[in-house]
Amino acid sequence: MKKTLYDKLWDEHHIHTYDNGYSLIYIDKHLIHEVTSPQAFEGLKQAGRSIWSKKSIMAVPDHNVPTKMRENGIKDPISKIQVDALNKNCKSNDLLKFDLEDIRQGIVHVVGPEQGIILPGMTVVCGDSHTSTHGALASLAFGIGTSEVEHVLATQCLLQKKSLNMNIIVDGMMPDYFYSKDLALLIISKIGTAGGTGYAIEYTGSSISNLSMEARMTLCNMTIEAGATTGLVAVDDKTINYVENKPYAPKGKDFTEAKRYWKNLISDIDSVYDKTLNIDVDKSSPMITWGTSPEMAVGIDENLPDLNDEKFSSKRQDLKNAFSYMGLKEKQNVNSIKLDKIFIGSCTNSRIEDLRIVADIVKNKKVAKNIKSAIIVPGSGLVKEKAENEGLDKIFTKSGFEWRSPGCSMCLGMNDDKLNEFERCASTSNRNFEGRQGRLGRTHLVSPATAAAAAIHGHFVDVRDI
Amino acid sequence: MKKFKETKSIAAYIDRKNIDTDAIIPKQYLKAVTREGFGETLFDDWRYLEPGNLGDDHSQRKKNPEFFLYDSKNTNAQILVAGDNFGCGSSREHAVWALMDYGFNVIISTSFADIFYNNCFKNGLLPIILDPADIKKIIKNIEKKNNVFIVNLEEQLIYCDDFKIKFKIDSRRKEVLIQGIDDISETLKLSDKIKDYENKKIIRTPWNSND
């Protein structure tokens, strides 16, 4: 039988099928951070259970950590308790952890692939919905809740029902200044935030082949915003080149052997998907979200929606609420939206390619005077080091950006970086939900290029025009 | 885990789609290291007119009188009826803990986000998926009569004075809630099978073995 990539990954990790249709699947890698793990370790302890496979785990603090003045430690005592709990749990169980002082520390979904801890063909979980990121390496990766974190700690397995297969075929030449972030927002605006519920989405087509590995990570990362817990891209030469020589990747003969296996991690020709969607990106524009759900997005050259438009009839109330929360008007021109803050970072867009794109746009330009703060937060200590070696940090600071230390930062405001009430932010993160970046804060999701252009102008502009 | 058999209660209705887990329990409360006490800050941003933090005395915070759960007809509701795609966004299980700690036992919607739906069954919260037409019937009843509903999981039925509605749920999920099954104990019964798999894995994909 012809198999999709998802089918292959599933079958390879399948251990047992119960009569009721559920399966037990094996988990190869378990990523852990400080927010969703303490209750799981506590549960394990209370039940007198031990960790099944300590070597399957990589831990790193990221959500709560400060992104400036690291040397002073964590100021917020409550955040500190959580990070200390992670330290304690990792130490007492002898788990691999990258501490705040370690140059390898960073956002869990940046660090995993960067270290070669995540490899093609693996099953990967983390108590974080953006675990979908790792599907870019053709690994079956998805976010889980804390009880499931405990389940994986104790058994190395999860009870799962197999998802349906969806193929999103993306063809055409990606236009200049249209990035995989824009592609993700375009897809979500078409299928909605529940469009992928129950599916594993595989991205195929010529545009996907042309994407870099980092761009694929951005796309797979955003898959959860379309409701699918898993996003996948098949293995090709780019995947293998990316993995080669990463610190934890196999070496020498092991690598050759692994490579032979990885090359099979593609969907068979003529394999059957439960749903297929075709997207042509030839004439697409950079995207921007205007509302309080990632699906509320328009092209940068469009106006905000007209509530009288028939296509919004069933959603009118939601759109009204969103306009009201965001302090915007229907049919408003996108360029007229003035900004207070700029955030470039998060597990979606904090890798070296993202930073290079930003540097290209802001070089020898200044952040607009009305911008109260513009921060750039690299995804890991190694991304930071690389950027500094390339002199990007100098370009940023000369333009008026703050250059920070790695962490989740303003993506979710669990640390010192957040929006104040009614502040409006161009953000390269993944969620524009009410209050996500701070109570009553207003988030617009964009690509790093669009965020950079907005920083220079103080309001949204079409990055293709500058 | 808490067992679920039946709930008898009025139902509260919130007319909103895509209620995300950030709205159900905002980030600042995720700094807790226990599973308890999230009920006071359920829907925090909508419920209070001033900001709050973990450890605050929330009874002292200014409430939003227009918040739906402060409407006297919703007092002590254990059933929540909400718009499509409930629980989308972050995987935080704290959302389920907060709903249950507040007192909800049943959530009814046309659809739930996958991770949230999964998390419900680890804690004894029953998410019920219904057709839009059935949900309309329930909403109409809530608005006009505010009946007490009985949700019986064994029979897979929602009753009120005016009607009864059958709901679907897969047999395994049903069993988990009714018996309060601990999934980990169940899985550990297959320890030998897991070890067998690991032994084969070392040979088949040595680069992907944790040994």
Side-chain angles (χ1 to χ4, degrees), chain A residues 12 16 22 26 28-29 39 49 52 76 79 82 146-147 151 198 314 412 414 434-436 439, chain B residues 16-17 22 27 30-31 34 46 48 93 114 170 173 182 185 187 193 197-198 201 204 210:
Chain A
E12 182 70 37
H16 181 77
Y22 279 78
Y26 189 81
D28 296 317
K29 284 289 171 231
Q39 293 90 344
R49 292 176 175 134
W52 184 283
D76 172 9
S79 291
Q82 225 171 28
T146 297
S147 294
H151 194 127
S314 68
L412 86 170
M414 271 192 84
E434 287 187 15
R436 170 78 179 182
R439 187 184 156 92
Chain B
R16 259 184 110 113
K17 292 176 184 154
D22 271 87
K27 63 230 163 259
L30 269 49
K31 296 183 191 206
T34 62
W46 297 341
Y48 299 101
E93 198 163 316
D114 286 336
D170 89 40
R173 305 251 195 214
D182 170 22
S185 305
T187 300
K193 241 182 150 168
Y197 173 88
E198 286 179 323
K201 194 180 188 74
R204 196 176 147 73
N210 289 309

Side-chain angles (χ1 to χ4, degrees), chain A residues 103 110 114 214 350-353 355 378-388 403:
Chain A
I103 193 164
V110 175
E114 185 176 72
E214 293 192 358
S350 63
R351 298 177 180 84
I352 191 69
E353 290 175 11
L355 303 184
S380 73
L382 288 168
V383 171
K384 185 172 197 232
E385 183 185 59
K386 197 177 238 174
E388 288 171 359
W403 176 238

Side-chain angles (χ1 to χ4, degrees), chain A residues 61-97:
Chain A
D62 57 3
H63 284 60
N64 268 296
V65 306
T67 61
K68 60 177 177 185
M69 293 184 286
R70 273 282 171 82
E71 57 284 3
N72 299 342
I74 301 173
K75 229 172 29 193
D76 172 9
I78 308 173
S79 291
K80 191 169 179 308
I81 291 172
Q82 225 171 28
V83 174
D84 287 347
L86 182 74
N87 290 344
K88 202 181 98 218
N89 288 325
C90 290
K91 204 169 171 196
S92 62
N93 288 295
D94 196 20
L95 306 178
L96 173 68
K97 182 168 80 70

Side-chain angles (χ1 to χ4, degrees), chain A residues 243-259:
Chain A
V243 172
E244 192 166 16
N245 298 322
K246 290 277 186 287
Y248 287 84
K251 305 279 175 330
K253 195 172 138 268
D254 288 344
F255 183 79
T256 314
E257 208 175 296
K259 194 159 97 174

Side-chain angles (χ1 to χ4, degrees), chain A residues 302-320:
Chain A
E302 292 175 58
N303 290 339
L304 301 193
D306 175 351
L307 286 175
N308 291 320
D309 193 327
E310 235 358 84
K311 69 180 178 196
F312 299 127
S313 60
S314 68
K315 296 182 175 173
R316 206 158 279 150
Q317 191 53 46
D318 294 303
L319 267 58
K320 267 188 181 168

